C-alpha cells in the first residue's frame, strides 16, 4: 500500500455538509420529472427577463447591523423538513425574490433574503450561486453573497460555542505548537482524582474482526453477550450478533441496513424503491469478503460513518419521524451541526486507500440509494480514512484481552488506536467526537474507561485537575514494563507514537527527561534514542 503521511489540519469548512441525500433526491427529480424541469426553466426565464429590465438599477447600501439582523431573522425561521417541502419552499422563495427584485432598490434586501432562503435549502449551493450570478440583478446578488459570507463565518466560528455540549464540562482550546496551532481539551471546572469528567457515546464503532460473528460481544455496543441470548440478524451480510433487540434496531437504523441489509432506505411516499435486491446482496457480499480479507477496522468505521450520515439525512426527510430516530440519536446531532461538522475540524493523516475499496464502498451505497455514490468520492473516503485512523480510540474492558491476533505488517503500517492499554488488548475501536481532541501525555491527567461494559467512554481524572487546565490521555501504554529500563520504556512509547500518529512527543514528561539529557539510570545513550524517534517521524512524514 502506498502511503504519504503529512499531518494536516482541516482548513476549509464547507457551507452545507449534510444535505447530500436531499441532493440526490433533487437531482433525481430534475433528471426524471418533466414537470419539475419545466417549472425550473420557467423560473429561470422570469429571472432572465427581470435582469434585463433592472439593468441600471441603483443599489442602496445596507449596513452590517441591518444585514446581521436580517440574517438572524432568516436563521430563526422554521426550515422545511421533507424533500418535497424543501422543493416547494425553494420555488416559492425564488419566485418571491424575483418579484421583489423588480420593485426597485428599497426592495433589494427583502429580495436578497428570499433568494438566500432558497439557497439555504438547495443541495448544491455553489451551483446555485453560479446561476444567481448570471440571473439575479447585480445589487441583489451582492447582498445574497454578503449574507452568505456572514452566515458561513458565524457558523464556522460559532461551532465551538456549542461544542462540546456544556454538560460534558470540557472546552476545546487552542495553543501554539511547532507545527502550527494545536487544539487541546480543557477542563471547564475543577475535578478531583477519580471523578468521571464526562461520558461519551461513540458515533461509530467496529468490533475487532476476529471477534465478529462469534457471539461473545455485541456488534453494536460491545456488551458481553449472555449465554444463549445472542440475536443474529436476518438478511445481514455482515453476520452481526447483538446483545438485545434495541442494539439490533439501533445498529440497523444507523448504518447496517444501508451497508448489509436489503430494506429500502426511503419510504415509498418519498421515493420509489429503485434498488435491485439481488444486485444489492451481491455487492454487499463482495464488500464483506474484502473487509474480512483486509482485516482492518478503519474501512468499516468509514463506511459506517458514511452510512450513518445518510441515515441521519434520510430521517430528516421523513415527516412522521419528526427528524429523530436512532440514526440521529446522539446528543451531538441534535443541534444545527451534523456528524460531518464534528469530523471536519479534526486533524488527520493524509493517506491513500486501495482503489478497490473506494469502488466497493461506492457500489454498496449506490445499490442501497442510487445516486448517492456521487457524494462518496475518493477524496472524501481518503479524508475520512485519515480522520478515523488518527482519532479512533481502542475499547478495552478491565486490563484488556491477551488473545488478539498480531498482524505481520511493518510497525508503521499496523493499525493503532489510542488506548493506554495498547491496541493489542482492545476488543474494538470507536470514534468519539469530543475525546478526539484529547492530546497525548506520557503522564496523562485522565484515562478512558469502559466500566459500563459497553463502548460508552467515561473519562476519569487520574489526579486533581483545575479549571482551565489541559486534559490529556495516553495514546499508548506509557508504563515501564518489568523487563524495561526507563530509557527502553521512553524509547518504546515515543516510537509507538511516531509510528501511529507521526509526532515526536512534547509532553511535560518527555520535555523534562529531554532537558535532563535523557532519563535517569539510562543504559542507552539518549542521543541514539532521540535520533531513532526522529528517524521514524521523518520517514513517515516524508520529505
Ligand atoms: C487526535 S489529535 C489531538 C487533537 C489535536 N491536538 C488537534 O489540534 O486537533 C492528535 C495530534 O495532536 C498532536 N499531539 C497530541 N499529543 C501530542 C504530544 N504529546 N506531543 C506533540 N504533539 C501532540 C499531534 O499532532 C497529534 O498528531
Amino acid at each position: 500500500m502506498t502511503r504519504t503521511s503529512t499531518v494536516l489540519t482541516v482548513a476549509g469548512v464547507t457551507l452545507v455538509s449534510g444535505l447530500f441525500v436531499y441532493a440526490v433526491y433533487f437531482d433525481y427529480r430534475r433528471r426524471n420529472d418533466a414537470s419539475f424541469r419545466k417549472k425550473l426553466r420557467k423560473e429561470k426565464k422570469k429571472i432572465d427577463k427581470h435582469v434585463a429590465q433592472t439593468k441600471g438599477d441603483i443599489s442602496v447600501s445596507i449596513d452590517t447591523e441591518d444585514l446581521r439582523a436580517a440574517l438572524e431573522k432568516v436563521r430563526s425561521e422554521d426550515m422545511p423538513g421533507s424533500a418535497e417541502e424543501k422543493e416547494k419552499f425553494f420555488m416559492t422563495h425564488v419566485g418571491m425574490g424575483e418579484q421583489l427584485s423588480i420593485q426597485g432598490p428599497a426592495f433589494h434586501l427583502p429580495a436578497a433574503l428570499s433568494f438566500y432562503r432558497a439557497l439555504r435549502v438547495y443541495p448544491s449551493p455553489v451551483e446555485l450561486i453560479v446561476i444567481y450570478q448570471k440571473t439575479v440583478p447585480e445589487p441583489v446578488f451582492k447582498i445574497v453573497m454578503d449574507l452568505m459570507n456572514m452566515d458561513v463565518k458565524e457558523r464556522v466560528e460559532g461551532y465551538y460555542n456549542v461544542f462540546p455540549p456544556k454538560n460534558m464540562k470540557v472546552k476545546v482550546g487552542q495553543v501554539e505548537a511547532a507545527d502550527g496551532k494545536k487544539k487541546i481539551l480543557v477542563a471547564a471546572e475543577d475535578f478531583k482524582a477519580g471523578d468521571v469528567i464526562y461520558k461519551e457515546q461513540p458515533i461509530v464503532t467496529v468490533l475487532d474482526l476476529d471477534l465478529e460473528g462469534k457471539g461473545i460481544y455485541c456488534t453494536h455496543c460491545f456488551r458481553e453477550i449472555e449465554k444463549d441470548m445472542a440475536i443474529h440478524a436476518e438478511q445481514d451480510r455482515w453476520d452481526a450478533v447483538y446483545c438485545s433487540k434495541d442494539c439490533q434496531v439501533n445498529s440497523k437504523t444507523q448504518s447496517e441496513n444501508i451497508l448489509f441489509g436489503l430494506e429500502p432506505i426511503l419510504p415509498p411516499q418519498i421515493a420509489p424503491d429503485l434498488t435491485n435486491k439481488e444486485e444489492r446482496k451481491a455487492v454487499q457480499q463482495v464488500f464483506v469478503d474484502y473487509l474480512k480479507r483486509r482485516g482492518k477496522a478503519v474501512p468499516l468505521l468509514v463506511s459506517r460513518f458514511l452510512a450513518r450520515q445518510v441515515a441521519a439525512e434520510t430521517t430528516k426527510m421523513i415527516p412522521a419521524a419528526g427528524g429523530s430516530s436512532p440514526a440521529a440519536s446522539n446528543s451531538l446531532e441534535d443541534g444545527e451541526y451534523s456528524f460531518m461538522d464534528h469530523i471536519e475540524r479534526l486533524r488527520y493523516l493524509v493517506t491513500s486507500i486501495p482503489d478497490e475499496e473506494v469502488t466497493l464502498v461506492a457500489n454498496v451505497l449506490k445499490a442501497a440509494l442510487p445516486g448517492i455514490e456521487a457524494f462518496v468520492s475518493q477524496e472524501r473516503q481518503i479524508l475520512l480514512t485519515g480522520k478515523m485512523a488518527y482519532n479512533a480510540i481502542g475499547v478495552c474492558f478491565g486490563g484488556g484481552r491477551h488473545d488478539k491476533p498480531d498482524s505481520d505488517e511493518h510497525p508503521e503500517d499496523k493499525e493503532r488506536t489510542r488506548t493506554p492499554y495498547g491496541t493489542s488488548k482492545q476488543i474494538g475501536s470507536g470514534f468519539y467526537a469530543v475525546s478526539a481532541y484529547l492530546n497525548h501525555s506520557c503522564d496523562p491527567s485522565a484515562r478512558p474507561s469502559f466500566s459500563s461494559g459497553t463502548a460508552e467512554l467515561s473519562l476519569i481524572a487520574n489526579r486533581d485537575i483545575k479549571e482551565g487546565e489541559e486534559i490529556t490521555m495516553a495514546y499508548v501504554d506509557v508504563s515501564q514494563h518489568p523487563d524495561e529500563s526507563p530509557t527502553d520504556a521512553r524509547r518504546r512509547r515515543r516510537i509507538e507514537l511516531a509510528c501511529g500518529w507521526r509526532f515526536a512527543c512534547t509532553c511535560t514528561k518527555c520535555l523534562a527527561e529531554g532537558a535532563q539529557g535523557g532519563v535517569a539510570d539510562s543504559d542507552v545513550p539518549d542521543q541514539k534514542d532521540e535520533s531513532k524517534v526522529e528517524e521514524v517521524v521523518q520517514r513517515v512524514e516524508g520529505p
Side-chain angles (χ1 to χ4, degrees):
M1 188 176 96
T2 47
R3 234 175 355 93
T4 54
S5 37
T6 321
V7 180
L8 293 181
T9 317
V10 181
V13 175
T14 48
L15 168 65
V16 185
S17 44
L19 285 169
F20 63 107
V21 175
Y22 170 58
V24 171
Y25 171 76
F26 197 93
D27 279 353
Y28 174 81
R29 289 287 309 270
R30 200 165 36 188
R31 273 184 276 134
N32 299 295
D33 183 335
S35 68
F36 184 68
R37 275 203 312 270
K38 208 168 138 196
K39 252 200 290 181
L40 272 181
R41 272 201 305 273
K42 219 169 117 194
E43 297 297 340
K44 188 176 176 310
K45 262 196 197 150
K46 273 205 246 168
I47 295 177
D48 287 350
K49 198 169 147 210
H50 295 315
V51 171
Q53 285 173 353
T54 52
K55 283 247 158 77
D57 253 2
I58 309 151
S59 66
V60 281
S61 75
I62 292 156
D63 77 27
T64 314
E65 281 318 305
D66 288 349
L67 207 63
R68 177 160 291 118
L71 183 60
E72 287 287 299
K73 187 172 172 301
V74 173
R75 279 204 198 124
S76 68
E77 293 165 359
D78 284 343
M79 292 279 272
S82 68
E84 253 144 17
E85 285 162 1
K86 280 183 181 152
E87 185 190 311
K88 197 164 154 227
F89 181 93
F90 173 82
M91 289 301 195
T92 308
H93 285 283
V94 167
M96 272 165 63
E98 64 193 34
Q99 291 302 327
L100 290 163
S101 297
I102 54 169
Q103 312 283 326
F107 291 85
H108 283 172
L109 178 59
L113 287 173
S114 280
F115 286 122
Y116 194 61
R117 285 187 182 97
L119 181 73
R120 274 163 58 90
V121 298
Y122 193 78
S124 332
V126 177
E127 188 189 317
L128 187 60
I129 286 165
V130 174
I131 300 174
Y132 278 174
Q133 192 174 16
K134 291 190 200 135
T135 55
V136 171
E138 203 185 314
V140 177
F141 176 71
K142 192 183 162 299
I143 305 172
V144 174
M145 291 309 289
D146 288 347
L147 283 165
M148 194 188 78
N149 288 335
M150 188 179 267
D151 199 2
V152 170
K153 190 162 175 276
E154 290 182 3
R155 194 180 136 81
V156 170
E157 288 173 357
Y159 176 74
Y160 289 112
N161 296 336
V162 297
F163 178 89
K166 295 269 176 293
N167 63 3
M168 291 183 81
K169 299 175 283 187
V170 290
K171 289 181 181 158
V172 172
Q174 197 158 267
V175 292
E176 292 296 332
D179 59 346
K181 289 199 191 320
K182 181 169 107 174
K183 303 247 176 52
I184 59 174
L185 205 64
V186 175
E189 58 183 68
D190 292 353
F191 296 102
K192 290 259 168 256
D195 278 356
V196 177
I197 300 171
Y198 62 71
K199 291 184 181 217
E200 184 176 19
Q201 287 292 349
I203 291 184
V204 279
T205 53
V206 168
L207 188 63
D208 279 354
L209 298 197
D210 66 300
L211 296 172
E212 195 53 84
K214 297 253 170 76
I216 309 171
Y217 297 103
C218 175
T219 295
H220 185 65
C221 78
F222 292 180
R223 192 187 297 282
E224 209 168 319
I225 301 176
E226 285 176 40
K227 201 170 175 307
D228 303 327
M229 296 298 277
I231 299 175
H232 291 263
E234 277 168 34
Q235 288 292 357
D236 168 38
R237 237 62 52 220
W238 188 240
D239 280 336
V241 186
Y242 299 105
C243 67
S244 67
K245 268 267 167 229
D246 274 359
C247 276
Q248 185 188 2
V249 169
N250 287 344
S251 175
K252 180 176 148 191
T253 324
Q254 287 177 7
S255 57
E256 303 305 89
N257 179 44
I258 293 176
L259 297 177
F260 307 120
L262 294 179
E263 287 178 22
I265 311 304
L266 292 167
Q269 69 271 27
I270 302 271
D273 184 13
L274 301 173
T275 62
N276 173 330
K277 285 200 171 37
E278 282 315 308
E279 190 193 317
R280 198 167 158 194
K281 218 162 148 177
V283 293
Q284 287 175 353
Q285 194 55 54
V286 178
F287 184 46
V288 166
D289 294 343
Y290 170 83
L291 289 171
K292 293 196 170 155
R293 210 168 53 239
R294 195 113 201 263
K296 301 222 178 224
V298 168
L300 189 50
L301 280 171
V302 170
S303 335
R304 285 196 172 138
F305 185 85
L306 284 166
R308 194 156 182 198
Q309 272 185 284
V310 174
E313 288 302 319
T314 45
T315 302
K316 287 182 200 159
M317 294 164 61
I318 304 168
S324 72
S325 90
S329 73
N330 183 309
S331 57
L332 297 172
E333 177 71 355
D334 292 345
E336 63 173 305
Y337 295 99
S338 68
F339 289 128
M340 201 58 202
D341 282 300
H342 298 309
I343 206 163
E344 61 188 354
R345 289 163 178 79
L346 298 175
R347 284 190 174 211
Y348 60 99
L349 289 177
V350 175
T351 181
S352 64
I353 50 178
D355 289 346
E356 184 187 5
E357 189 171 310
V358 177
T359 312
L360 294 181
V361 174
N363 284 351
V364 166
L365 294 174
K366 178 183 173 189
L369 193 62
I372 200 72
E373 67 281 5
F375 300 90
V376 290
S377 61
Q378 182 180 38
E379 198 187 353
R380 187 178 274 247
Q381 286 192 47
I382 288 176
L383 186 77
L384 285 176
T385 299
K387 303 248 182 191
M388 290 295 165
Y390 212 48
N391 293 288
I393 288 186
V395 178
C396 292
F397 294 150
R401 65 167 168 145
H402 297 277
D403 58 353
K404 185 174 157 89
D406 194 10
S407 91
D408 52 11
E409 288 168 299
H410 190 275
E412 288 155 29
D413 293 329
K414 278 188 206 277
E415 203 166 50
R416 287 171 205 270
T417 53
R418 302 185 297 154
T419 159
Y421 309 100
T423 308
S424 64
K425 302 267 178 66
Q426 71 172 38
I427 62 151
S429 331
F431 170 68
Y432 300 82
V434 176
S435 303
Y437 288 92
L438 284 162
N439 283 308
H440 165 87
S441 169
C442 299
D443 179 20
S445 60
R447 63 183 183 278
S449 154
F450 301 91
S451 48
S452 65
T454 70
E456 179 187 60
L457 184 156
S458 300
L459 191 69
I460 313 286
N462 283 336
R463 52 177 178 261
D464 292 358
I465 301 171
K466 287 255 160 275
E467 179 185 342
E469 219 180 279
E470 178 180 3
I471 306 177
T472 54
M473 68 173 273
Y475 290 5
V476 298
D477 175 4
V478 291
S479 65
Q480 187 183 335
H481 297 174
D483 57 343
E484 285 178 327
S485 70
T487 306
D488 290 340
R490 173 180 161 89
R491 185 198 298 128
R492 176 180 46 78
R493 60 176 208 251
R494 288 173 66 76
I495 287 181
E496 271 185 46
L497 290 168
C499 285
W501 296 270
R502 326 311 197 214
F503 68 87
C505 182
T506 55
C507 76
T508 43
K509 182 170 175 177
C510 283
L511 291 180
E513 286 173 353
Q516 282 171 19
V519 278
D521 67 325
S522 154
D523 55 359
V524 180
D526 190 55
Q527 200 44 47
K528 192 175 161 208
D529 168 30
E530 289 311 302
S531 56
K532 181 87 169 86
V533 173
E534 288 310 327
E535 197 187 295
V536 176
V537 173
Q538 263 173 30
R539 191 166 59 239
V540 292
E541 283 202 320

